[in-house]
Structure formats: C-alpha cells, structure tokens
C-alpha cells in the first residue's frame, strides 16, 4: 500500500503515469511489472485512461503509416490503448428511455442513467461503443451474450437485466439503477473492519455462486464489477466476459475479444479479464471454470483485508508469482484472523482441483472462519476442560492376613460412607429440594460407582492372594489407587449432604459424574509402571493420607470450592516437601500450580515447572499428569508451541504406561490446540479419535457427551452443518440419558442443537425448540438461561412474533445482570433487529445506540457487529439525525 493510503484500501493505485513511463509503454519498451502497474492504474484513473487512449490512437496511426497497412492490422500495445478512449456522448433518448447523465464507461461502452417513461422508473443503460461496422457486430454479439447470461440469473446479489435492444445500430442493455457505488469505491470511503469486508465479499460470492449454478463463468470478477447499494445490498455485474463453463473456449472467437495490455496471445485466443485478478490457467490462456472466478474472488478479498496483493513482490515479477501461485506472507494488520486467510489460501491454489470444490463450499468455509469467536482462545478454553485424573496412592492400612482372604470389612466396603443409613439420609435431603428424577440418577450413579469399586477391590485381592498372579507390591499400588477414589467419593457424598450444593439451583449430578474413573486401578500394566510405594510403614501411612487429601481437594476445586481446596492443598504440599517422595510431591505441586493459575497464570508456570521436573523422576503416570497439566498451563499464557510440546510429552508417557490413564482426554486436548491454531479439520479428527476411545466405556459416558458437544462446535465452525446436526443429536441423546429431559445440562444442549438448526436454515425447528426450552427455564427459575433461549426464539421468527421474546429476554437480563454486561447489549441488538424488520426504524436505532453505549470498548467484535447493523438501519432512515 502506498504511503498515506487509508486502511482497507488495496495497493492498486500508484501515482499517475509520467511522460517517460508513457513513452516507454507506447514504444513497447516497458517491463511486464511496470506494464501491469500501468494497466491497474489506468483502470481506475479517468485522466490517465483518457491520456493513454489519445496517445494510443496517435501511435496506432503512426504504426499504420510505417508498415503501410490498414488500422485493423495494428496489433501492438497501441490497440488496447485505443480501447480506452472515451465514447461519444449518447443520444438524449434511447428508445423510450430518456438519458439523464453518464454513470461510467468501460471497454465495451458507456453506462448512463435514464428514465423509463413507460414505467416511470430510473434505470441504468449500457450502450455499446460504436467504432465501425466490424467492431459493432463483434461487440453486439458479445453484449447480447452478456444480456442472455445475466437474464438467466435471478438472484438478489446479481444485478437484474430488464431488456435488451438496438438503438441507432448500437446495442443497449437495460438494468436496475443502483443508488450506490462499486465495491472499490465503498472500500475506500472509510476504514472497514475485516468482518465488514468478509461480509461484503460473501454477498458478492453468493452472486457468483448463482452465476455458476447456471453453468456460467464470470471471467472478470473484481471489486469494480461489484456494486454496493446504499441499503447495503451487494450485487455482481459486468458480465461482458461471461461464458458457458463447459464450452467457453469453443464459443469465443479470439478476434472478438479485447486484447489485454502487454500480455501474450495464446492458443485459446487473447486473454480476457483483468490480469491483476486472473487465475494461472486464465493467464496461460487455458480453459476457465468456476474455479477461475474463485481465484479472482480470493485475490480481491485478500487484497482488501491485507492491503497487499497476494502475489506482490517488491522488485519482483508479480505476474510470475501469480502464474505459479506463490503467495507472499500477509502482513498481520487489521487483526485479520489467520483462519480467514487460510480459507483464501486454498482458493488461491495453483491448480483448480486444489481450490475449494465450489463457490458454495468456499463461502461455507469463509462463514465458518468469520463466525468463529474473535477471542477463540477463551471460547475453546471453555469448550475443553484440561486436567489430569487423580492417580496412584498407597494402601491405608497394613495388608490383610491371608486367612481373611478377600472378604470386605464389617459393614461392607462403604460402611458409614454409602451404607443404607447414610444413603437414605442423603437422598431424603435431596428429595426435599428436588422433585425431579435427579435424585434417582444420583442414587443410581453412586450405587454403580460403589459396585465397580468393590468389584475392582475384590479382583485386586484375588489376583494376588487367591490366584497368585500379581505381586504384593502391585496389590499395594492397586489398593492405593482405589483408596484415592474412595476419598473422592467420600468428599462427593459430604458435599451432597452438607454443602450449599443442596440448594435448588445446584447441579449435584455434575458431582456424581465428575468422580474420577476407577478403571485405571485395574490396569495392571499402568500399575506396574507406577513408582514403588514407600517401604517405611509410617511414611507409607502418611503418604496415603496426604494422597487422600489431594483427591478430596480435586473434587472441591473442580466444583468451585477454591477456599476449601486450598485449605487441603497447602498443608499437603508442605508435608510432601518434608517427606520427599517424588510422586506425592509432584502431584501436590501440580495442584498448587492450578490454584495459582486461577489468579496469575504466568506466575504459576514456575510452580508447574518444578512439578514437571519432580514428576519426570517419579513414574510415567505422574509424568503424564504433569505433562497434560502443562498443556493447560501454557494455553493459559497463549504459548501454543510449548502447549503442543507437552501434549507430545504426555503422549510419550502414555506409551510407557501402555495406554492413557483416561483414554480420550489427550485427543480432546489436542483438539483444543488444533482449534487454537485454526486447524479445524485436525480438531475434528482428534475429537473423533476421542469419541472412538471412550464410546464403549460405561464409566466415560459423561466424557463422551462432552466430546460430542465439542465436535458440534468444530463442525459448525467449518460450515459442516448437516454433520453438526448429527453430532448435536448424539450429544442431546447422551445428555438426556445422563441428566433427563428437564435438567439444565439437557436444556443447554437442546439450545445448542437449536442454534445449529438455525444456522442450517431450519428456522421453524429452531424457533420451536427455543420456545420450549425457554418455557422450561422459566419453570426452573433461571432467568439468564431463559433469556438465551428467548433471544434465539426471536432471531428465528419474523416480526411481529419476534417482539415478545426479544422484549422479555432484555427485561430478564436487565434485572439479573450488571449494567455493562455484554449479554444485555446482545439482547438489545436482537430486539433492534426485530424492530427494524417491522419497519420501526427509530426504535431500532435507539436499541442499537444503547447496546453500543453499554458495551463501551470491552468487546470490539460485538461492538463492530452492532455498529454495522446500526449503519444499515440508518441507511433506511436517511432523514434521521446522525
């Protein structure tokens, strides 16, 4: 971009052509890069275009005299310059159309504004240039082809053609009159956000897709051939180069087409179009396809977003780079996400087969990249919970004598913890505050966990004491693992019985489903890789008790009891320092690092690094836990390189163990990292691997549910809406299985599924689901959650049906949230859109104004979106004060 250019303006306009450069062009001595620059400049500069046209005619006449031929034989650079001459002013009247004034001109002719006397409307007329009979016949055939092509396409993003005729031996084309400007003028009018640019090009792309659907190729897509109405609608026009996708080269007579300045003729004839936006196959004169338009589309959007041509080379040959699709590195300006440029990179591939399968697929990918959250790191961090399971411990009491064999202790394995008396007491308290089937699910979940634990304890005992298959040392490790699980179970029951989680708006099922899986305690290979337990009985007992404290602290921390967790972790860490047993110390340091990370992620790295060093001299299980926690540690400080490194370390530790302690979690975390790199296909692959790892494990149903929910987000972000709906249905089935029909988790999953329906265009289903879920939230007295569903209901309906849910959502959020909460601004925006659809423009503008004022500068993405919508609303009421 030249110095002083405004943001958002592509670097296509340099200084006007000087006398020396003009002379070089006319003498044919100019280099190809300078020739391309002159072409680009003349295309947008009326003065230079007129100068070149006049000079070209003079030079053409001189060359005619020199070679003794006729003007038709002159085929040098002067020919394209002659094409730039201004046409003579049109007649005052063309048929029944009264000419008002000139709008512009191009290689084919002049465009004027006119009044249709019969229908009393303003139209635009394209009038073919008159330069002799042969020229007129060639141009007439071409213009008629343009008219037929445009008339076949009926689409809001394609300029409508009304009729075609002949006036004074000149063909004319009657089109809609566009009160606006072309896309290049719109781009320069004011600074534009990357989202505004992407939105504009997506609209133009819809027009191109409609062209392709009719078997046509535009061949000259560029910003100057896209019109932007004052109401914001974008329309593709200037189909003078259009042709049938499959038959174009057979239909076009090389002599019929205008030469393009400074470029060679090819076997297929002179190139047609604008070299700056041409695909390699078009530059080489090969057959063009819809993929050719896709290339031009991506060049122009890349240029608008980065202020640089994708193939521009300082001091180099842009044409060579463009022919070979050698993309330069895009400047990181304007906050353009790499995911957007990644979509364009594919569209700029050298081979048409390597580009997007179609404009429809390109636009789908572009929407997915646009709609991904601007702060993707925060959004994906919320999607994936990173952390390691509580692992090995030590046996609480000395090993039982052999004659006791494997009988449970008096009262059973869970005496006093989840025996009949405690069980009935806890469940009765829950029934007093919850009349749904949640209590039955709590009962079933805890009973199942207790049964699995007891089965594993008996198997561990019998494998050593009855069958003689496993050593006493390995039994000790297995029992230590089970004891840590029992400590977590005990803390869960205590929370259910005594904690404020017993209040109405709690999620006690999350406690039950959050219990660490007990299956690793039965993994003999993993247990064999664990560190040897302390041999000193007093030390072994102390380690065991401290591991139980860490297991309890993990439950407390995972369920929002930070102070209670800290009260257990801090003394445990101090005791672990004194004992010095590496596995215990490493796990205590990991827990302490998590505490610190909540307040200062950067400072917490020091504690985590110490934990990792200690873990590496402990055992692979401890190393796995520390490494996977390192992924979280580095993601929190946005250091993806180190986060990926420790995902690899965790993978190596899992291989030493013979498999992951918690299958699926590592792949889920790799999906997170792929999402942060904007590599959504890789995120999808990792999530499908995570799903495959756990779908047969009954203990991992909650994890399976979350993996499917994450997959919904990834698929929707890629625009794969049909697959996203399938994943959403699976996630909903799992959530309903675990939580029931009326549980908050199920309602949130139904809302997510409705959002996918809305994005896929099934607005009726989305509206129906949103209304049902909002009613259920109302019964649960969750006003903020109810507002989420009401907003979706409003967006999925039209005026006036959208008004009631939009107003109620806003009312609920005003009452429940802080004044500057961005959710209030969101509801204001939804209400404003509804009002605008109903023609209540002034009320809509007030809602937009309040939403933007409430946001302040806190959320630039949401603010930009609201400002764009407000601008559209103002365009519908130009008389209102600005």
């Amino acid at each position: 971009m030249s110095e002083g250019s405004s943001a958002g303006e592509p670097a296509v306009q340099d200084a006007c052509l000087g006398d020396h450069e003009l002379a070089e062009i006319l003498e044919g001595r100019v280099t190809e890069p300078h020739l391309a620059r002159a072409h680009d400049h003349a295309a947008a500069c009326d003065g230079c275009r007129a100068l070149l046209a006049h000079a070209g005619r003079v030079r053409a006449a001189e060359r005619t005299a020199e070679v003794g031929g006729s003007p038709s034989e002159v085929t040098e650079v002067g020919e394209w310059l002659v094409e730039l001459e201004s046409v003579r002013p049109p007649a005052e009247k063309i048929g029944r159309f009264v000419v008002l004034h000139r709008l512009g001109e191009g290689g084919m002719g002049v465009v004027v504004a006119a009044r249709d006397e019969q229908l009393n409307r303003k139209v635009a007329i394209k009038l073919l240039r008159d330069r002799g009979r042969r020229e007129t016949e060639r141009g007439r055939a071409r213009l008629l082809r343009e008219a037929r092509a445009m008339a076949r396409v009926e689409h809001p993003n394609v300029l409508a053609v009304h009729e075609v005729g002949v006036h004074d031996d000149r063909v004319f084309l009657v089109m809609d009159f566009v009160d606006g400007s072309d896309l290049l003028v719109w781009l320069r009018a004011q600074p534009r956000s990357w989202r505004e640019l992407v939105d504009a090009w997506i609209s133009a792309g819809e027009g191109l897709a409609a062209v392709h659907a009719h078997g046509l190729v535009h061949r000259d897509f560029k910003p100057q051939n896209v019109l932007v109405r004052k109401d914001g609608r974008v329309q593709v026009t200037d189909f003078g180069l259009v042709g049938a996708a499959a038959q174009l080269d057979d239909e076009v007579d090389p002599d019929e087409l205008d030469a393009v300045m400074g470029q060679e003729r090819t076997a297929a004839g002179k190139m047609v179009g604008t070299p700056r936006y041409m695909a390699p196959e078009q530059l080489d004169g090969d057959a063009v396809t819809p993929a050719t338009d896709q290339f031009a589309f991506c060049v122009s959007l890349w240029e608008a977003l980065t202020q640089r041509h994708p193939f521009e080379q300082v001091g180099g040959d842009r044409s060579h780079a463009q022919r070979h699709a050698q993309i330069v590195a895009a400047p990181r300006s304007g906050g353009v996400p790499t995911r957007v440029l990644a979509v364009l990179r594919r569209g700029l591939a050298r081979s048409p087969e390597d580009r997007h399968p179609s404009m429809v697929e390109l636009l789908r990918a572009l929407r997915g990249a646009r709609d991904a959250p601007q702060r993707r790191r925060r959004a994906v961090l919320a999607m994936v919970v990173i952390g390691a399971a509580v692992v090995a411990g030590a046996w609480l009491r000395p090993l039982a004598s052999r004659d006791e064999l494997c009988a449970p202790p008096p009262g059973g394995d869970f005496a006093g913890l989840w025996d009949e008396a405690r069980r009935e007491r806890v469940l009765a308290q829950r029934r007093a505050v919850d009349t749904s089937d949640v209590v039955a699910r709590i009962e079933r979940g805890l009973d199942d966990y207790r049964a699995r634990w007891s089965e594993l304890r008996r198997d561990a005992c019998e494998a050593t004491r009855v069958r003689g298959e496993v050593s006493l040392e390995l039994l000790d490790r297995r029992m230590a693992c089970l004891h840590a699980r029992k400590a977590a179970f005990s803390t869960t029951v205590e929370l259910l019985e005594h904690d404020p989680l017993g209040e109405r708006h709690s999620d006690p099922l999350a406690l039950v489903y959050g219990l660490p899986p007990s299956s690793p305690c039965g993994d003999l290979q993993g247990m064999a890789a664990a560190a040897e337990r302390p041999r000193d009985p007093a030390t072994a007992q102390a380690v065991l008790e401290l591991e139980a404290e860490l297991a309890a602290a993990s439950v407390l921390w995972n369920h929002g009891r930070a102070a209670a967790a800290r009260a257990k972790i801090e003394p445990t860490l101090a005791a672990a320092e004194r004992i010095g047993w590496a596995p215990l110390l490493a796990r205590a340091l990991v827990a302490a690092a998590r505490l610190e990370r909540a307040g200062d992620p950067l400072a917490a790295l020091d504690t985590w690094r110490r934990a990792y060093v200690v873990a590496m001299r402990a055992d692979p299980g401890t190393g796995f836990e520390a490494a996977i926690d390192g992924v979280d540690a580095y993601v929190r400080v946005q250091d993806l390189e180190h986060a990926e490194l420790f995902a690899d370390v965790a993978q190596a530790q899992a291989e030493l163990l013979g498999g992951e302690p918690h299958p699926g979690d590592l792949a889920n975390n790799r999906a997170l990292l792929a999402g942060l790199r904007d590599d959504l296909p890789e995120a999808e692959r990792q999530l499908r691997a995570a799903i495959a790892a756990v779908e047969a494990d009954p203990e991992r149903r909650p994890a399976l549910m979350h993996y499917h929910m994450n997959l919904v987000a990834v698929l929707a972000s890629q625009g794969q809406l049909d697959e996203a709906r399938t994943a959403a249905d699976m996630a909903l089935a799992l959530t309903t299985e675990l939580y029931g029909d009326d549980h908050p988790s199920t309602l949130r999953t139904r809302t997510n599924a409705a959002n996918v329906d809305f994005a896929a265009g099934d607005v009726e289903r989305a509206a129906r689901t949103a209304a049902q879920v909002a009613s259920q939230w109302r019964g649960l007295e969750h006003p903020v959650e109810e507002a989420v569903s009401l907003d979706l209901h409003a967006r999925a309906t039209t005026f006036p049906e959208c008004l009631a849910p939009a107003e109620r959502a806003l009312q609920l959020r005003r009452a429940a949230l802080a004044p500057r909460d961005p959710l209030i601004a969101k509801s204001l925006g939804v209400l404003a859109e509804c009002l605008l659809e109903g023609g209540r423009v002034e009320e809509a503008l007030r809602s937009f104004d309040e939403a933007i004022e409430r946001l302040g500068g806190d959320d630039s993405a949401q603010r930009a979106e609201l400002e764009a919508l407000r601008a559209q609303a103002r365009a519908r009421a130009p008389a209102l004060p600005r």
Side-chain angles (χ1 to χ4, degrees):
M1 183 171 67
S2 60
E3 187 175 353
S5 298
S6 63
E9 178 181 332
V12 298
Q13 299 306 311
D14 300 315
C16 287
L17 302 175
D19 294 341
H20 178 71
E21 189 172 10
L22 178 63
E24 285 186 333
I25 292 172
L26 294 175
E27 295 297 329
R29 294 182 287 108
V30 69
T31 62
E32 186 174 353
H34 286 88
L35 201 56
R37 187 199 78 82
H39 177 278
D40 292 338
H41 178 78
C45 177
D46 292 340
C48 287
R49 185 166 65 252
L51 176 63
L52 284 168
H54 176 71
R57 290 190 65 80
V58 173
R59 178 58 179 153
E62 292 174 352
R63 285 292 295 155
T64 300
E66 290 172 7
V67 301
S70 65
S72 63
E73 295 173 334
V74 179
T75 58
E76 295 192 13
V77 173
E79 183 176 350
W80 70 266
L81 294 173
V82 173
E83 293 292 329
L84 293 171
E85 82 169 325
S86 299
V87 298
R88 59 182 173 82
E92 294 183 0
K93 196 170 182 181
I94 301 174
R96 70 172 188 272
F97 304 98
V98 177
V99 176
L100 301 176
H101 55 82
R102 177 175 297 182
L103 294 173
E105 61 184 87
M108 283 296 295
V110 65
V111 181
V112 299
R115 171 70 61 187
D116 184 340
E117 293 183 319
Q118 182 176 328
L119 299 177
N120 191 29
R121 65 178 176 182
K122 194 173 184 181
V123 296
I125 299 179
K126 187 171 185 177
L127 190 66
L128 180 65
R129 185 187 310 278
D130 180 11
R131 280 204 303 276
R133 179 175 179 78
R134 182 168 181 269
E135 286 289 329
T136 300
E137 300 216 352
R138 291 189 316 180
R140 180 181 301 171
R142 180 171 163 191
L143 189 58
L144 288 171
R145 184 171 65 253
E146 175 182 9
R148 288 194 296 268
M150 292 183 69
R152 286 170 58 186
V153 183
E154 294 183 7
H155 191 275
N157 296 118
V158 176
L159 190 67
V161 175
H162 299 304
E163 62 181 274
V164 65
V166 177
H167 172 75
D168 197 15
D169 286 332
R170 298 174 70 184
V171 176
F172 66 88
L173 188 71
V174 182
M175 304 170 288
D176 270 348
F177 177 84
V178 175
D179 187 10
S181 63
D182 68 43
L183 194 55
L184 186 60
V185 172
W186 174 86
L187 183 64
R188 295 172 178 168
Q190 65 185 61
R192 309 283 182 181
S193 72
W194 70 265
R195 287 181 182 274
E196 288 180 275
L197 298 177
V198 169
D199 285 345
W201 258 260
I202 284 176
S203 295
E206 292 285 2
L208 271 184
V211 171
H212 296 164
H214 284 77
L216 303 172
V217 181
H218 189 289
R219 291 171 58 98
D220 194 24
F221 181 88
K222 57 185 176 181
Q224 296 94 320
N225 284 343
V226 179
L227 302 178
V228 184
R229 294 177 178 268
K230 286 191 176 179
D231 64 3
R233 199 205 310 181
V234 175
Q235 294 182 300
V236 180
T237 186
D238 204 355
F239 284 63
L241 305 178
V242 79
Q247 303 172 339
L248 181 67
D249 290 307
D250 293 334
E251 293 179 358
V252 177
D253 178 354
D255 291 334
E256 181 187 329
L257 305 179
D258 294 333
V260 175
M261 143 180 171
Q263 300 290 349
E264 296 177 357
R265 297 169 183 260
T266 67
K270 302 176 185 178
M271 288 183 302
V272 180
T274 304
R276 185 175 197 87
Y277 303 102
M278 282 184 178
E281 65 270 18
Q282 196 172 10
L283 287 169
D284 291 339
D286 296 333
V288 299
T289 67
T292 307
D293 286 346
Q294 183 185 140
F295 189 95
F297 175 93
C298 291
V299 170
S300 61
L301 179 52
W302 181 294
E303 192 172 58
L305 290 169
T306 69
Q307 298 88 55
R308 187 177 179 186
H309 193 282
F311 306 105
E312 203 69 66
Q313 295 186 353
V314 178
D317 182 355
R318 189 195 73 212
S319 176
H320 176 83
Q322 189 165 332
R323 268 192 166 91
H324 295 84
Q326 298 169 348
I327 301 176
V328 299
R332 295 303 299 264
S333 62
V336 182
T338 56
R339 61 182 179 269
V340 172
L341 296 180
V343 173
L344 300 184
R345 280 183 184 276
R346 181 174 179 184
L348 294 171
R350 172 71 179 85
S351 170
E353 292 76 19
D354 293 333
R355 298 171 200 157
H356 296 274
S358 66
M359 275 302 301
V360 172
E361 293 299 321
L362 186 158
L363 296 175
R364 179 179 298 165
L366 197 54
R367 287 192 189 91
R370 175 200 64 189
D371 295 339
Q374 183 136 1
R375 299 293 295 178
R376 182 186 289 274
R377 285 178 170 79
R378 287 185 295 179
V380 181
L381 276 172
M383 179 183 85
V384 182
V385 179
I386 298 182
V390 180
V391 287
W395 187 222
L396 180 60
R397 54 190 174 85
L399 291 175
S401 66
R402 288 186 179 272
D403 20 282
E404 289 182 40
L405 294 178
C406 299
D413 287 323
F414 286 76
L417 175 58
W418 194 244
D419 53 19
E420 290 304 314
R422 181 87 181 274
R423 184 169 175 273
E424 287 307 314
R425 183 169 69 250
V426 171
L427 295 178
Q429 290 176 344
R430 290 301 313 172
R431 291 189 189 100
V433 296
D434 197 334
T435 58
S436 70
D437 67 349
V438 166
V439 178
R441 292 174 184 275
I442 292 172
E443 180 181 14
R444 184 164 60 249
L446 293 178
D447 284 350
D448 288 348
Y449 195 92
R450 178 183 63 178
R452 284 193 300 270
W453 191 99
S454 293
E455 182 180 350
L456 283 167
R457 182 204 61 79
R458 178 172 288 278
D459 178 72
C461 174
E462 291 179 352
T464 298
R465 296 181 175 178
V466 176
R467 301 191 299 272
E469 299 169 345
V470 176
S471 68
L472 286 171
E473 170 60 28
L474 194 53
L475 172 63
D476 195 24
R477 298 177 196 178
R478 295 180 72 183
M479 297 306 292
C481 174
L482 286 168
H483 180 68
R485 268 53 176 180
K486 182 181 274 191
F489 186 97
S490 176
T491 303
T492 297
V493 174
E494 288 174 7
L495 287 171
L496 287 170
E497 185 175 12
H498 302 300
D499 195 86
L501 275 174
E503 295 179 359
R504 179 176 178 79
H505 289 166
S506 67
D507 192 356
L509 280 175
L511 270 172
V512 176
Y513 295 145
L515 282 166
S518 54
S519 54
C521 303
D523 177 10
L524 295 183
Q525 187 171 351
M527 289 292 102
E532 184 179 348
R533 306 293 298 175
R535 293 184 178 275
D536 176 65
T539 303
Q541 179 72 19
V543 166
L544 171 74
E545 293 172 354
L546 292 171
E547 287 177 328
E549 288 291 281
L550 287 178
S554 180
V555 172
L556 293 167
W557 174 255
N558 288 337
H559 294 281
R561 305 300 183 267
R566 183 175 288 106
K568 288 182 177 292
I569 291 171
E570 290 177 349
T572 297
L573 176 58
E577 297 270 17
R578 291 192 299 272
I579 293 172
W581 190 57
L584 174 66
L585 178 57
R587 292 181 179 112
L589 285 166
V590 166
R594 289 177 190 156
L595 285 176
E596 292 180 49
R597 200 175 298 146
D600 190 344
L602 196 58
L605 279 177
D606 290 337
T607 303
W608 175 83
R609 289 189 187 107
R610 187 179 171 213
Y612 176 71
V613 171
V614 174
M616 286 299 101
R617 60 181 173 86
D619 59 65
T622 310
F624 178 89
E625 179 180 352
I628 204 166
D629 190 67
V631 178
D632 185 28
Y634 280 104
V635 165
R636 297 295 181 100
V637 296
Q638 301 184 6
D639 185 344
L640 298 188
E641 185 175 351
H642 278 93
E644 289 174 337
L645 169 64
F646 285 104
D648 292 340
V649 171
Q651 180 67 50
Q653 296 299 301
E655 290 171 3
L656 292 175
L657 289 168
E660 294 178 48
H662 307 287
D665 283 352
L666 182 55
N668 193 40
N669 287 319
R670 287 194 184 277
L672 159 71
L673 296 174
L676 295 177
R677 294 194 312 270
D678 300 316
D679 188 351
L680 295 179
E682 175 63 12
E684 178 186 347
R685 190 183 73 81
Q686 292 290 348
L687 284 170
R688 292 193 185 280
I691 289 169
V694 302
E695 56 188 353
D697 186 349
E699 272 200 296
R700 303 305 305 280
R701 300 297 278 177
L704 181 62
M705 174 194 71
H706 287 296
Y707 299 162
H708 273 289
M709 292 173 68
N710 294 344
L711 181 61
V712 173
V714 169
L715 291 171
S717 295
Q718 294 181 94
Q720 300 175 22
L721 297 179
D722 289 340
E723 293 185 58
R725 291 175 75 170
T726 300
D729 289 341
M730 179 59 72
L732 181 57
L734 287 165
T735 311
T736 305
E737 170 194 322
L738 292 168
Y739 292 98
D741 290 326
D742 299 318
H743 190 273
S745 293
T746 305
L747 299 184
R748 294 186 190 102
T749 306
R750 290 187 69 197
T751 301
N752 288 339
N755 274 308
V756 175
D757 289 335
F758 180 78
D762 193 347
V763 293
E764 291 185 6
R765 182 179 175 186
R768 187 168 57 251
T769 300
Q772 292 169 351
V773 172
S775 176
Q776 289 173 281
W777 281 124
R778 191 174 307 124
L780 294 174
E781 299 178 14
H782 278 277
V784 176
E785 298 275 15
E786 181 187 349
V788 174
S789 298
L790 288 168
D791 272 344
L792 176 58
H793 185 197
R795 292 170 60 216
T797 52
T798 56
F799 189 87
E801 287 79 7
C802 59
L803 202 54
E807 289 176 337
R808 176 164 174 78
L810 177 59
Q811 179 186 18
L812 291 172
R813 281 177 167 163
R814 284 190 195 276
L817 301 173
R820 292 264 177 196
D821 194 296
L823 289 177
I824 295 179
K826 180 178 178 60
S827 284
L828 282 164
V830 171
L831 175 60
E833 290 188 74
C834 175
L835 291 167
L836 189 60
E837 184 177 355
R840 294 161 63 169
V841 180
E842 293 189 44
E843 294 174 75
L845 284 170
R846 285 197 293 271
S847 289
F848 280 131
D849 290 342
E850 183 184 351
I852 293 168
E853 188 278 328
R854 282 178 180 275
L855 277 179
D858 294 338
D859 191 328
S860 57
Q862 186 177 355
R863 182 185 178 91
E865 181 179 357
L866 288 168
E867 287 176 342
L869 290 169
R870 180 176 63 177
Q872 294 178 21
R874 285 192 176 280
R876 294 180 58 174
L880 293 177
R882 306 258 171 169

